Every structure is written in C-alpha cells, then in structure tokens.
Amino acid sequence: MNKDFAFILGNGITRLQVDCKGLLDCGALYVCNRIYEEFAPTVLVSTDKGMAHEIQNTGYSSRNIHYVREQWKINNSGANILPKEYAGMSSGPAALGLASDTCANYIFLIGMDLKGVNNTINNIYAGTKNYKQKGESPIHFGNWVDQITGIMQKYPTKRFMHVNPLDNFTDDKFLKFKNFETINLSEFKGMINNTS
C-alpha cells in the first residue's frame, strides 16, 4: 500500500467504473455510508443520523474505523466522533478532510460527481433505506463544493485529483486552485499502477 495515496469515494455513478475494493492495495480508502455492506474500507464516514445509526447497530463500528457526528454516536458502539472542523460537513467532504489530515499527498476524488443525471438524483444507493428514492430531484451540490474548496485551501501542498468527472463537469471554484486537477481513468490507472 502506498501511504502517499488516499482515495475518497463518493456514491455517484462514475464510481462504478473503478474497482474500489482493489484500491485497498494501493492506498487508504475513505468512503461514505452504505458501501459498508460491500467491504470494509480504511475509514467509513456517515454524517446523517439514519445511516450513522444503521451502521452502528450492525456492530460494524466496533470492528472497523467509522466516524459519525457526536450527536449521532450510540454509546459503546465503537464509532469515532468527527473532529469539530469536519462535524458540520457532509459525509464526502468530511471523508476528504480526514484523508487530508494524513501523510497522503495525492488525494483522488472518485464518484464525487456533484451533479445529478437527467435532473434526477445521482447516487448508486438511491432507493435503499436512508436514501432518496430513484427519480427524485438531485441534491444541490453548492455546500459540497464550498466544503471541498475549504479543504483544498487548507492544504495547498497536497494534490487533489478529480477522477473521471461525470460529463467532464467540475465546479469552477475547484479550477481556481493550483493543487487541483482532473484526470481520466487511464491516467488514474497509470498513476496507481506505476507507484503502488
């Protein structure tokens, strides 16, 4: 595993183009919410009450690293409380913040699509418990963008790479940062295969 790499997994559809579990061999994986049913990442983050409680109630938090907001922690569940600077953030940006606090210098944003698909929610878990239903309107991504830009500003020496953005969409606020870039799937695979 390359300690210089951290992978942040959102739940947008572009994430399905990457072997996410296989990335555990290449670096640390910081992920959100329902992916816990598929495999145990390095760090799991859930900031919404429903998902935070669901995961803790399975016993996952006592066996794995899981961060929740202080008000959603169940006593003796084993869950960790998010640091104050990330406690008000959504799950994806909070995961990004935790990863940025480590020694990793290359931080890859995967499946963080931001926008919806055909004016509907873009989340591979849509329709499951604690998620919006398929076909509902997409979530406005302005807060996510502001939270992510705050983290990139805090860590100017780290490289933040948006992998395979949906429809090549990247918010203009990201593009103002010299430590941000977008890369396609082949570039991403080349980077992790050459240095893992």
Side-chain angles (χ1 to χ4, degrees), residues 154-173:
K154 182 180 176 183
Y155 294 97
T157 61
K158 294 184 185 277
R159 288 180 63 187
F160 296 90
M161 287 167 275
H162 195 181
V163 178
N164 191 34
L166 178 67
D167 299 331
N168 292 314
F169 173 76
T170 298
D171 193 273
D172 289 343
K173 289 183 180 178

Side-chain angles (χ1 to χ4, degrees), residues 16-67:
L16 298 175
Q17 299 170 2
V18 176
D19 172 17
C20 294
K21 188 175 181 181
L23 291 176
L24 283 168
D25 295 330
C26 304
L29 237 64
Y30 293 77
V31 308
C32 311
N33 301 322
R34 187 159 305 288
I35 198 171
Y36 84 95
E37 293 181 321
E38 300 170 33
F39 66 93
T42 311
V43 174
L44 180 69
V45 178
S46 45
T47 58
D48 293 333
K49 180 180 181 180
M51 281 306 306
H53 281 183
E54 174 187 326
I55 295 166
Q56 290 173 86
N57 285 328
T58 67
Y60 178 95
S61 311
S62 64
R63 301 183 305 272
N64 303 283
I65 300 173
H66 178 211
Y67 281 89

Side-chain angles (χ1 to χ4, degrees), residues 24-196:
L24 283 168
D25 295 330
C26 304
L29 237 64
Y30 293 77
V31 308
C32 311
N33 301 322
R34 187 159 305 288
I35 198 171
Y36 84 95
E37 293 181 321
E38 300 170 33
F39 66 93
T42 311
V43 174
L44 180 69
V45 178
S46 45
T47 58
D48 293 333
K49 180 180 181 180
M51 281 306 306
H53 281 183
E54 174 187 326
I55 295 166
Q56 290 173 86
N57 285 328
T58 67
Y60 178 95
S61 311
S62 64
R63 301 183 305 272
N64 303 283
I65 300 173
H66 178 211
Y67 281 89
V68 299
R69 291 180 175 154
E70 184 173 12
Q71 65 267 37
W72 308 144
K73 180 173 176 167
I74 297 172
N75 287 338
N76 303 314
S77 70
N80 299 287
I81 296 171
L82 277 167
K84 284 189 167 60
E85 64 264 39
Y86 306 129
M89 294 184 176
S90 300
S91 297
L96 177 63
L98 291 171
S100 299
D101 285 343
T102 70
C103 63
N105 288 307
Y106 297 85
I107 301 176
F108 301 91
L109 289 75
I110 301 167
M112 296 182 82
D113 295 341
L114 301 178
K115 65 183 204 136
V117 177
N118 298 323
N119 293 318
T120 63
I121 189 168
N122 173 9
N123 192 301
I124 61 175
Y125 301 117
T128 66
K129 185 179 177 185
N130 297 310
Y131 279 88
K132 290 181 81 170
Q133 295 301 307
K134 293 178 181 178
E136 287 191 42
S137 58
I139 297 170
H140 178 65
F141 56 82
N143 284 339
W144 299 337
V145 169
D146 290 343
Q147 292 164 10
I148 292 168
T149 54
I151 293 167
M152 289 194 293
Q153 189 169 22
K154 182 180 176 183
Y155 294 97
T157 61
K158 294 184 185 277
R159 288 180 63 187
F160 296 90
M161 287 167 275
H162 195 181
V163 178
N164 191 34
L166 178 67
D167 299 331
N168 292 314
F169 173 76
T170 298
D171 193 273
D172 289 343
K173 289 183 180 178
F174 293 170
L175 300 175
K176 295 176 182 177
F177 289 88
K178 292 181 179 178
N179 58 337
F180 175 83
E181 62 188 293
T182 61
I183 59 175
N184 62 36
L185 276 178
S186 61
E187 290 170 321
F188 170 66
K189 289 175 182 176
M191 283 188 76
I192 63 173
N193 290 336
N194 288 331
T195 57
S196 61

